[in-house]
């Protein structure tokens, strides 16, 4: 069998049945192999950032790796920002990246790069296949690495390795099961929970925020009084009515400090001790109070759910909290802003929806959605590289086609990877995209004020505003084959989201919002 066939067959044996692709000449043998084996489905995306972000979203919803097919160093580099996000999400992604035929590399043809060098910062594992005979084995190793290490594994395939005979598929060994924290740390954590009551906080991340983890955390909080919180960004968090409310550590440094200031003991469950996203003049880098005792109980990638269950046993936490009375927000009225957006979503999010959020300043009232909307899963872009949500939503819809995906994006963020809409149209994915069109990089105007002590002036403002010319998202969406409406009142937004609930296929709502007005410095 040819190297390319062995790679696809090994992916299939490893449970990888979807490959998000943007190929080129060096991947032609791999493209051809799609015709030889009907086991792996290729999904074309029109920019590599969509390829890598979709693989991230797919992996998060399907609970198994997705593959990508990318074209040499430049193709991989185009996908790097969302690979960075996937790495931060610990999403198992297997990158299959074509390189020049081995004999061609020395000629330094135009697309030649240090491909391993491009891959390394964005991957947890990198290997170039040496010979066709290694193709199956190396592909299996990449799958095992992506799942065991939690993150992108990059397999570089010289074109002649792919087109040559002499390869055979390999069945990957199962991924190592997540490590269970030791008895000693469980006893320490249980003792701290009992002795510190409400001054203890369980900070949840990763798999600890699944439905069962959230339920176990709720029992622990009921039994011990501990506060619950999640990291600022979450890979997949079970939220919505009937589930305990787990606030996020706020993004803004000052708000995060206030949120954490009374915490005596911070117990980390698949999370990291919070740090501010950026350094600011005259501000500490972490919002955790200096006196707080920080105890890593389960590291990211360890079995946080198992740990929460063990803590429940140790603390006798058997009692679920009383379900908060269901609240249904009033139909919002007036302008579209963060509050009315949250109210409309809380009312109209379909049960079991997947809510992908990159709405930046428009996300400020989303806690209302997490408490009042029908039960749903919420997915964040994990690495702070914007342009993640539309691709993640696209992959999420393929990773679990039974659920409607609702993707909230800032207008600026959406435009990095707007061509994800075309893949949604081609694959007829059940995704509703809501563009929060404030026609600015509003968060950056806020950050300017925080760092420089004054709002941007007339020469600086044009690099933070998106209003000249105004972008017309309805026309952009239709151009990619996605039906769309524009709304500029909360009532119309509520109606549009109601209409989107039971739609099949993609839909886009441009929600025209007032540009964010800057709060006075220090608030
Ligand atoms: C890849 C990448 N490029 C640039 C940035 C810097 N950045 C952070 S937020 C932002 C603007 C976001 O604008 P938008 O999505 O419209 O949200 P808004 O701030 O208006 O709510 C930019 C450019 C980034 N985080 N990642
Ligand atoms: Mg904006």
């Amino acid at each position: 069998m040819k190297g390319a066939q062995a790679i696809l067959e090994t992916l299939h044996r490893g449970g990888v049945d979807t490959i998000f692709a943007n190929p080129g000449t060096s991947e032609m043998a791999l493209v051809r192999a799609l015709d030889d084996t009907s086991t792996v489905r290729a999904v074309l995306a029109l920019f590599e950032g969509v390829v890598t972000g979709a693989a991230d979203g797919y992996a998060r919803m399907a609970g198994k790796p997705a593959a990508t097919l990318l074209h040499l160093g430049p193709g991989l580099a185009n996908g790097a920002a969302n690979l960075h996000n996937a790495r931060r999400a610990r999403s198992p992604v297997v990158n299959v990246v074509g390189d020049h035929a081995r004999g061609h590399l020395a000629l330094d043809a135009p697309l030649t790069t240090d491909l391993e060098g491009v891959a390394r910062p964005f991957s947890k594992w990198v290997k170039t296949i040496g010979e066709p005979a290694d193709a199956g084995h190396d592909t299996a190793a990449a799958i095992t690495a992506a799942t065991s290490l939690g993150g992108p594994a990059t397999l570089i395939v010289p074109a002649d390795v792919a087109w040559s005979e002499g390869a055979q598929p390999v069945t990957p060994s199962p991924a190592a099961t997540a490590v269970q924290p030791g008895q000693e740390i469980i006893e320490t954590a249980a003792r701290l929970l009992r002795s510190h009551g409400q001054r203890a906080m369980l900070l949840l991340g990763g798999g600890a925020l699944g439905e069962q983890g959230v339920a176990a955390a709720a029992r622990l909080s009921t039994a011990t009084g501990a506060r619950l919180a999640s990291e600022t960004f979450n890979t997949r968090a079970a939220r919505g009515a009937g589930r305990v409310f787990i606030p996020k550590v706020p993004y803004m440094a000052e708000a995060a400090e206030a949120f954490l200031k009374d915490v005596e003991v911070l117990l980390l469950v698949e999370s990291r001790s919070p740090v501010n996203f950026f350094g600011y003049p005259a501000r500490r880098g972490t919002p955790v109070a200096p006196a707080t005792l920080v105890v890593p109980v389960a590291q990211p990638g360890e079995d946080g759910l198992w740990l929460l269950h063990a803590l429940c046993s140790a603390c006798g936490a058997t009692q679920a909290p009383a379900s908060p009375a269901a609240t249904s927000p009033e139909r919002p009225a007036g302008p579209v802003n963060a509050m009315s957006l949250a109210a409309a979503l809380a009312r109209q999010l379909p049960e079991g929806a997947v809510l992908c959020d990159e709405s930046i300043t428009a996300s400020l009232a989303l806690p209302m959605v997490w408490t009042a909307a029908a039960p749903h899963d919420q997915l964040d872009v994990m690495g702070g590289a914007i342009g993640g949500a539309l691709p993640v939503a696209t992959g999420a819809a393929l990773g679990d086609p039974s659920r409607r995906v609702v993707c909230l994006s800032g207008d600026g963020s959406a435009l990095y990877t707007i061509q994800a809409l075309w893949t949604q149209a081609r694959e007829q994915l059940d995704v509703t995209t809501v563009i929060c069109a404030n026609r600015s990089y509003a968060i950056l105007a806020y950050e300017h004020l925080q760092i420089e002590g004054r709002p941007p002036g007339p020469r600086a403002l044009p690099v933070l505003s998106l209003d000249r010319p105004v972008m017309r998202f309805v026309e952009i969406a239709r151009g990619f084959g996605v039906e769309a409406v524009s709304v500029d009142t909360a009532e119309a937004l509520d109606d549009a989201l109601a209409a989107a609930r039971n739609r099949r296929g993609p839909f886009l709502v441009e929600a025209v919002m007032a540009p964010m007005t800057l709060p006075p410095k220090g608030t």
Side-chain angles (χ1 to χ4, degrees), residues 123 132 227 256 269 330 370 387 408 472:
S123 311
R227 285 169 63 192
V269 182
E330 303 259 305
W370 307 334
L408 301 182
R472 309 216 173 273

Side-chain angles (χ1 to χ4, degrees), residues 361 410-412 436-442 466:
T361 56
D411 46 3
C436 305
N438 58 10
R439 295 166 183 168
S440 62
Y441 287 161
L466 304 176

Side-chain angles (χ1 to χ4, degrees), residues 39-129:
T39 46
V40 177
R41 166 194 196 191
V43 176
L44 177 62
L46 304 181
F47 174 65
E48 293 85 345
V50 179
V51 169
T52 52
D56 178 2
Y58 180 98
R60 290 198 228 174
M61 290 314 299
K64 63 178 188 174
T68 69
L69 181 61
L70 299 166
H71 185 49
L72 300 109
L76 178 61
N78 270 349
N82 276 335
L83 264 191
H84 161 84
N85 288 328
R87 190 173 183 279
R88 289 281 172 177
R90 305 183 59 84
S91 290
V93 171
V94 179
N95 296 315
V96 178
V97 188
D99 199 359
H100 283 308
R102 288 166 295 174
H104 202 67
L105 271 180
L107 302 178
D108 194 30
L111 277 158
T112 309
T113 58
D114 170 10
L115 193 33
E116 289 195 3
V118 177
R120 219 165 270 123
F122 304 100
S123 311
K124 292 204 168 163
W125 181 100
V126 180
K127 183 152 193 210
T128 303
I129 306 179

Side-chain angles (χ1 to χ4, degrees), residues 407-483:
C407 174
L408 301 182
S409 178
D411 46 3
S413 299
L415 288 159
Y416 289 73
T417 45
I418 192 76
Q419 59 277 68
L421 294 174
W422 181 86
T423 301
Q424 292 176 12
R426 175 182 251 207
E427 303 290 331
Q428 276 303 295
L429 303 180
D430 292 334
V431 181
T432 304
T433 302
V434 180
I435 303 288
C436 305
N438 58 10
R439 295 166 183 168
S440 62
Y441 287 161
I443 185 89
L444 297 187
Y446 172 84
E447 297 283 22
H448 188 289
L449 186 70
Q450 292 299 306
I451 292 175
E452 299 304 326
R454 54 173 241 186
R459 286 170 60 82
L461 200 57
V463 293
L464 308 179
S465 63
L466 304 176
D467 57 348
R468 276 181 294 126
V470 161
M471 279 166 278
R472 309 216 173 273
F473 280 93
V474 170
E475 288 167 45
I476 293 170
R478 288 191 181 143
F480 285 120
V482 172
E483 264 314 301

Side-chain angles (χ1 to χ4, degrees), residues 486-503:
S486 182
V487 297
D488 59 5
T489 66
E491 293 91 334
L493 175 62
D494 192 57
D495 289 342
L497 292 178
R501 284 174 71 105
N502 299 317
R503 268 186 92 99

